[in-house]
Amino acid sequence: MAGPRNEQGRGGGAAAADAVRAVVGPVVHTAGLWLEDVQVSRAGARSVVRVTVDLPEDEVGALGSDALDEVSRAVSAALDADDVVPGAYTLEVSTPGTSRPLTQLRHFKRARTRLVSLRLADGRTLEARLLDVLEAGTEGAEDGAVLVLDGGARVPVADVRKGRVEVELKRLDDLDDTQDTDETGDEGDDVGADAADDAEDADDAGPARTQEG
């Protein structure tokens, strides 16, 4: 099974991202997290693998740096074991952060308790705190999912053309957490025990890790 995925990885772009997703998806799921996105690109002689993870949609708040560190280790180990990315590569594992556009229902669910800006189909722009998201078919949302905002306003998700989370000064600590990134350089099966020890030492310095293969 590793052979076909390796051939996809050599192609780069979407095919390589799909190959990586197939390997790291179960790892992220086992960690109790959501695999938001996978991107694979080239940076000189190295590949750059960017994996974005998030908390499940029913949870509120940011993914902590300890949990991000743990899933980063697991993702790195899975990629090394499968050899899905040929040659040298840098792995970056991060969370979406507040800059992620709200384009899916799960994005709105994850934005509960946050201040959001919504541009509606009728041209209006609303800025309010998102209190809840009513699922389609439930009471108060019989015709489709509905956003419940502070002040009593209710907005059908279908009427939202663009949405984003607004950064609040009192939430700067949360913002720092959501922008944590673990970065690990690797060379697939060529990485030995010494390189692994170096990665362990880098982890002790903080949530961001860099290892050059």
Side-chain angles (χ1 to χ4, degrees):
M1 296 299 291
R5 286 199 295 267
N6 203 28
E7 287 300 315
Q8 284 185 316
R10 294 179 190 278
D18 288 344
V20 171
R21 182 183 293 272
V23 173
V24 306
V27 174
V28 174
H29 178 75
T30 298
L33 301 176
W34 175 267
L35 181 58
E36 181 76 15
D37 191 28
V38 174
Q39 297 180 6
V40 180
S41 59
R42 296 292 297 180
R46 305 176 69 88
S47 295
V48 179
V49 180
R50 295 183 175 90
V51 177
T52 306
V53 299
D54 197 9
L55 289 170
E57 64 181 31
D58 58 347
E59 295 195 32
V60 174
L63 179 65
S65 58
D66 288 344
L68 180 62
D69 182 75
E70 184 175 347
V71 73
S72 298
R73 291 173 182 268
V75 166
S76 179
L79 291 178
D80 286 349
D82 198 274
D83 194 27
V84 68
V85 183
Y89 66 90
T90 297
L91 171 65
E92 298 176 4
V93 181
S94 64
T95 56
T98 56
S99 61
R100 173 181 61 184
L102 305 177
T103 60
Q104 301 176 20
L105 186 62
R106 74 170 309 274
H107 296 166
F108 287 104
K109 290 182 177 181
R110 287 286 294 120
R112 285 171 299 167
T113 76
R114 305 302 299 264
L115 185 66
V116 298
S117 177
L118 307 173
R119 191 173 73 187
L120 306 183
D122 61 9
R124 291 182 299 149
T125 297
L126 298 180
E127 186 173 293
R129 194 165 303 281
L130 178 58
L131 301 182
D132 200 4
V133 179
L134 305 181
E135 295 269 10
T138 61
E139 183 177 356
E142 290 80 3
D143 297 327
V146 172
L147 307 179
V148 180
L149 308 176
D150 62 350
R154 297 195 172 199
V155 177
V157 173
D159 289 349
V160 178
R161 292 296 175 264
K162 181 179 292 186
R164 69 174 186 271
V165 172
E166 294 291 339
V167 177
E168 301 174 78
L169 292 179
K170 66 180 180 180
R171 287 183 179 262
L172 283 180
D173 289 341
D174 289 344
L175 179 60
D176 289 340
D177 287 341
T178 61
Q179 291 181 334
D180 280 343
T181 299
D182 274 10
E183 183 175 311
T184 304
D186 224 331
E187 284 191 355
D189 290 341
D190 293 335
V191 176
D194 290 342
D197 290 340
D198 290 343
E200 292 283 345
D201 293 339
D203 287 346
D204 294 336
R209 301 200 311 269
T210 301
Q211 176 190 323
E212 295 297 335

